[in-house]
Amino acid sequence: MDEKKLIEKKIFNDTSSYDDIMDLPYRQSKRHLPMNQRDRAFQFAPFGALEGFNDLIKEKTEMYKRRKYADGELEAKVATQIKYLQTHLDLKVDVTFFNDESGFYEHVKDTLNRVEYEKGRAIFGETSVVIAGVREIRLIKSN
């Protein structure tokens, strides 16, 4: 056995400091009923107080499983389309984007109002869209 394992064994398996109480008989409390194993385990369960926390995490995970992340080619295409729309503000488009609040892809059909590059957002009509979440911009043909 190497030296490290011997030191670990000595530190974690040495009960000599408890020799004086190791063989004392167990005394049942006269004031309290004995706690069953299940209740004792719950007492030490991590995050036991955060009831529903795991369900919330699972729900958010399922929500974002639907999201498809863009590759460099798609990001470049969307950036080019947005720059074009900035010079043609009268064009009505159908924008498919991932809505972080709902967890679904949604559509907005409107004209581009403005682009806030510092926030990473484009505003179509009254809807603010995260540019990184845009999957497709299609021109709507006018009659």
Side-chain angles (χ1 to χ4, degrees), residues 54-105:
N54 284 335
D55 295 335
L56 180 65
I57 290 174
K58 284 179 187 172
E59 181 182 323
K60 286 291 181 186
T61 303
E62 286 299 316
M63 190 182 281
Y64 280 88
K65 274 185 183 176
R66 294 184 271 273
R67 184 174 188 163
K68 295 178 181 81
Y69 293 92
D71 57 3
E73 188 178 317
L74 180 59
E75 286 179 1
K77 180 181 175 185
V78 168
T80 303
Q81 289 174 328
I82 289 175
K83 282 184 182 180
Y84 179 79
L85 289 173
Q86 283 181 296
T87 59
H88 298 84
L89 295 174
D90 58 329
L91 293 177
K92 192 169 184 179
V93 290
D94 178 5
V95 181
T96 305
F97 67 99
F98 187 81
N99 186 336
D100 287 327
E101 291 177 16
S102 71
F104 291 98
Y105 281 95

Side-chain angles (χ1 to χ4, degrees), residues 3-19:
E3 187 178 350
K4 183 179 176 186
K5 291 205 186 265
L6 287 172
I7 292 170
E8 286 177 0
K9 187 175 182 182
K10 176 74 173 159
I11 291 173
F12 296 111
N13 295 330
D14 183 21
T15 59
S16 61
S17 58
Y18 302 105
D19 283 344

